[in-house]
Amino acid sequence: MMQQAKTLTLLLAGLAVAGSGHAAWEVNMTEGVTAVSRNIYGLHMTIMTICAVIGVIVFGVMFYSIYKHRKSKGAVPQQFHESTLVEIVWTSIPFLILVLMAIPATKTLVEIYNTDEADVDIKITGYQWKWQYEYLGEDVSFFSNLSTPIEQIHNVRNKNPNYLLEVDEPLVLPVGKKVRFLVTAADVIHSWWVPALAVKRDAIPGFINEAWTNIDVPGTYRGQCAELCGKNHAYMPIVVEAKSEEEFDQWLKEKKAEASRERELNDKVWSMDELMVRGEQVYNKVCAVCHQPNGAGMPPIFPALKGSPMATEADQIGAHVDIVMNGKKGSAMQSFAGQLSEVDIAAVITYERNAWGNNTGEMVTPKEIVDYKKTGKYEEDPARQTMPENQQASL
């Protein structure tokens, strides 16, 4: 009796756990936050229902026939080889079912690919391993990078709820407006995927794929690159912030002003300290994932910058600028000429030449990077400063 009671208690406890974990076992699609996503969900449920009904009928008839006409009851198989009627029936019924399924599927597909009459056009470019968003006609462009701290990735700190699904610059979209995406890539194949928007498009170098969305509900929606694109494929999240039209207009106005201020920084006379502070921020955001925060790299794929001849020898400063600007063919080193501003490129090179004990005392100015873009050749600006030796020793 005690054993039976114990068994019953364990069974009830198991059912309680199973009931509480029901939500975690949810495997169906979600409806999303756009009309298209809800139509896709409705199509999915319709097709699933048709398939389930077909399965019940087919397996029901099959099991009934097996049971009713089993050999032990003396059943004799019916002979109807090459029956025209049977062949017409078992060809016509599936054909009609497929036609019925094709009608809503075609309607939904036509809607998915209708990118006409968009209110906002955004070009999305995939890089290893980040996204660039360019608001066409608005002079606003920025990169979106993973912002999860590297300490969480290395299990030094506890992971937050949005681990590997958070970025420094989200894509901001207006609610109630049709937004067209022009999706491409600068290096390898990526895939821009946000489930809540029912948008998934491959980003292929040299090609432009179109998609669109019209978000109904303000909020934050997350996605990821859905195409294996290299070592840090898992570190390439997507975050979309949907705002009201008024909030979006205000955000766009601020981004335009920010871009204008950034361009003005090229003419500013920068001190070594200012470039080092900004360079450290750029390095940790863009370079540290490969070359490591301490500059030690991961040889032989990602060489060390700490103590590197290119980052420490005076006659290599031009080569240092060149590789940051143009990358290195046949390696993982990308070209950052189109990814970073002139100020950021000057700052990060200055930082690399003076951090981790490199202490060259040399600096690169934004003006030198602007001139490099014009001529393709690095020339020192005679007006630029060098770091005093007492500051070099403190680095």
Side-chain angles (χ1 to χ4, degrees), residues 280-291:
E280 184 177 14
Q281 295 172 349
V282 176
Y283 180 87
N284 288 332
K285 182 169 72 172
V286 178
C287 312
V289 68
C290 295
H291 294 288

Side-chain angles (χ1 to χ4, degrees), residues 294-307:
N294 60 2
M298 291 184 286
I301 300 175
F302 304 111
L305 297 175
K306 180 179 180 180

Side-chain angles (χ1 to χ4, degrees), residues 262-280:
E262 189 71 23
R263 287 191 292 270
E264 292 173 359
L265 291 177
N266 290 337
D267 299 325
K268 174 185 173 180
V269 177
W270 288 78
S271 69
M272 173 68 80
D273 288 339
E274 290 173 324
L275 287 174
M276 287 294 289
V277 170
R278 182 158 182 151
E280 184 177 14

Side-chain angles (χ1 to χ4, degrees), residues 356-373:
W356 320 300
N358 287 350
N359 300 351
T360 65
E362 299 165 345
M363 62 184 286
V364 175
T365 66
K367 182 179 182 302
E368 290 172 339
I369 302 302
V370 171
D371 292 342
Y372 179 95
K373 286 187 173 182

Side-chain angles (χ1 to χ4, degrees), residues 204-218:
I204 303 173
F207 291 86
I208 297 288
N209 287 327
E210 292 186 77
W212 70 278
T213 192
N214 191 334
I215 304 173
D216 298 331
V217 184

Side-chain angles (χ1 to χ4, degrees), residues 294-365:
N294 60 2
M298 291 184 286
I301 300 175
F302 304 111
L305 297 175
K306 180 179 180 180
S308 164
M310 181 173 290
T312 57
E313 296 180 4
D315 61 350
Q316 292 293 308
I317 190 168
H320 195 168
V321 172
D322 183 74
I323 197 169
V324 173
M325 292 290 288
N326 302 314
K328 184 176 180 181
K329 196 171 183 179
S331 74
M333 180 63 188
Q334 304 175 41
S335 166
F336 287 94
Q339 300 187 44
L340 298 176
S341 68
E342 289 84 356
V343 174
D344 285 342
I345 291 174
V348 77
I349 294 174
T350 300
Y351 177 75
E352 290 171 356
R353 300 188 71 80
N354 293 281
W356 320 300
N358 287 350
N359 300 351
T360 65
E362 299 165 345
M363 62 184 286
V364 175
T365 66

